[in-house]
Amino acid sequence: MSQASDLSTAAQQLRGRRFPDDSLDQAYKDIYEKYADLMKGTEGKEGQESARDEILVAWAQAYKQHAGARGDARLPADDLYLIATNKLTEAIPTSQEAWKLHFVASDLLYDEAMYMKHHDNKSKADALLTSARDRLQQALSIKPDYVEALDQLSVLFQEQSALRQGNEQMWFVGQAKDATRQADAIRAGEQAPRQGPTPEAKFEIASQEKEKGNQYFKTGDLQKAMFHYHSCLNYLNGLFGLPPAMESKITELKVTVWNNMATVHLKQGKSERAIEKLDKVLAASPQNLKALFRRGKAHLGLNDIDRARTDLTQAQSMAPADAEITRELAMLERKAAQQAKKQSGFYARMFDKMGQDEANPSK
């Protein structure tokens, strides 16, 4: 396409040049204006989407070339890399080569991530790398044998592994190796090793397992409910590679499942097991009303009056009108009174016996 060729030529002319800060912004804007003008030439013409895609790719590559020349200068306030990725995204639904546009968008995000990493903004770099990885995985969902995407996916996993430690780091290293093995197999004409579900898919499966557990709980099948709750946690434990925004959702799902498992234990009369789960809930969510109430109830089931009173009193302070908490506290006071009465009787009998022993000393 002549439009794409024109833009590529313009990009080549600017490649390698270093712009002072005051002209860097204008250099980007020149390329964007060139892109807009060339896009007008594709409107209403046969093969419009194909021409547009070629122009988009060429423009994105031009941005990439400029990014390499910017040195320590920051992007203009409007962040043209975002404009580039957004326009690629807009084009994908009607593109005949959407996988290519996903790849180019990933490449832009990767460059921006490396800029952030170089300037010690590791959290932003990690978020950008995750977005870049998502683009590659979308490309591979369309074109599974896209070797270049697999190669780049391995690079992204390696970069993210360097931002982590321990088991999480090892998970990213393993994912990088899997992507490389898959790419090598495709190059050799072999069947690519089957990849497991993505972290996002695992989270979705975990959510479904929780729902299955809830359904069995409602029908009274506590054994099957517990099986699916355990299955949910198995998918969540060791789950890495999700965007930072998803971390809170993982914790939220774990808290819900621990709470549900505690309820099953309480119904089964296993107060100690219930407390184990509720301790986890309250470590992650200290103001969780349901967990405080259930742990207080579990302590009461073990006749641990003091701990039960602490939890139930805190729960009542959070929900003063809750009738169930009020009933449980009333039961606690009755148990406390019974214990006090038993203790009083015990001490009375003990002192009575001691008096008898003194009156009748052994010979």
Side-chain angles (χ1 to χ4, degrees), residues 16 99 116 265:
W99 47 272
M116 291 295 177
H265 287 315

Side-chain angles (χ1 to χ4, degrees), residues 19 29 49 108 156 197 215 223 235 238 292 299 301 306 344 348:
F19 300 97
K29 290 185 183 300
E49 288 81 9
L108 293 176
L156 294 178
Q215 291 301 317
Q223 187 174 358
Y235 278 104
L292 280 168
H299 281 308
D306 291 338
S344 176

Side-chain angles (χ1 to χ4, degrees), residues 211-225 228-229 267:
E211 291 302 324
K212 289 178 184 177
N214 289 351
Q215 291 301 317
Y216 281 115
F217 179 84
K218 289 176 183 176
T219 62
D221 194 333
L222 301 183
Q223 187 174 358
K224 286 186 178 178
H228 287 287
Y229 290 146
K267 283 185 172 291

Side-chain angles (χ1 to χ4, degrees), residues 287-289 291-297 299-300 304-322 324-330 332-333:
Q287 299 301 310
N288 192 292
L289 178 61
L292 280 168
F293 171 71
R294 289 168 182 161
R295 192 172 69 175
K297 192 172 182 178
H299 281 308
L300 190 58
D304 190 338
I305 300 298
D306 291 338
R307 286 192 173 94
R309 182 180 280 112
T310 298
D311 283 343
L312 292 172
T313 301
Q314 185 178 348
Q316 189 177 55
S317 71
M318 295 166 62
D322 191 296
E324 197 171 3
I325 297 174
T326 301
R327 283 196 299 271
E328 203 67 24
L329 274 169
L332 180 149
E333 296 305 333

Side-chain angles (χ1 to χ4, degrees), residues 101-256:
L101 301 189
H102 277 305
F103 181 85
V104 174
S106 173
D107 205 28
L108 293 176
L109 290 163
Y110 171 74
D111 278 358
E112 191 65 13
M114 293 301 96
Y115 178 85
M116 291 295 177
K117 180 181 176 182
H118 179 70
H119 287 79
D120 292 326
N121 192 340
K122 293 182 179 180
S123 61
K124 180 65 173 177
D126 190 49
L128 287 163
L129 288 168
T130 298
S131 297
R133 183 159 49 81
D134 178 65
R135 293 291 189 145
L136 290 177
Q137 287 168 334
Q138 290 185 61
L140 288 164
S141 70
I142 301 168
K143 189 178 173 62
D145 61 348
Y146 193 4
V147 173
E148 291 84 355
L150 286 166
D151 287 338
Q152 184 64 7
L153 188 61
S154 179
V155 171
L156 294 178
F157 276 124
Q158 290 176 45
E159 288 290 346
Q160 289 194 284
S161 74
L163 299 173
R164 287 163 169 78
Q165 294 180 340
N167 291 336
E168 192 175 6
Q169 182 181 54
M170 294 308 298
W171 183 87
F172 278 91
V173 170
Q175 293 297 305
K177 290 180 179 178
D178 285 346
T180 299
R181 279 195 292 268
Q182 192 170 13
D184 290 345
I186 293 172
R187 288 191 186 94
E190 302 170 358
Q191 184 175 359
R194 184 177 178 182
Q195 287 190 318
T198 64
E200 291 81 1
K202 285 184 179 180
F203 180 82
E204 184 60 31
I205 294 170
S207 300
Q208 293 169 4
E209 287 297 301
K210 186 263 292 184
E211 291 302 324
K212 289 178 184 177
N214 289 351
Q215 291 301 317
Y216 281 115
F217 179 84
K218 289 176 183 176
T219 62
D221 194 333
L222 301 183
Q223 187 174 358
K224 286 186 178 178
M226 194 63 88
F227 171 84
H228 287 287
Y229 290 146
H230 276 296
S231 179
C232 172
L233 292 177
N234 286 339
Y235 278 104
L236 293 178
N237 290 334
L239 183 58
F240 306 115
L242 285 167
M246 288 293 292
E247 295 298 329
S248 61
K249 292 187 177 181
I250 293 174
T251 300
E252 182 181 340
L253 184 53
K254 284 183 177 180
V255 163
T256 299

Side-chain angles (χ1 to χ4, degrees), residues 29-54:
K29 290 185 183 300
D30 287 346
I31 287 206
Y32 181 69
E33 289 169 4
K34 182 72 171 174
Y35 159 79
D37 289 343
L38 294 176
M39 276 301 295
K40 292 177 184 177
T42 68
E43 293 177 1
K45 292 185 178 181
E46 187 176 351
Q48 174 184 355
E49 288 81 9
S50 178
R52 176 206 58 201
D53 291 355
E54 289 193 49

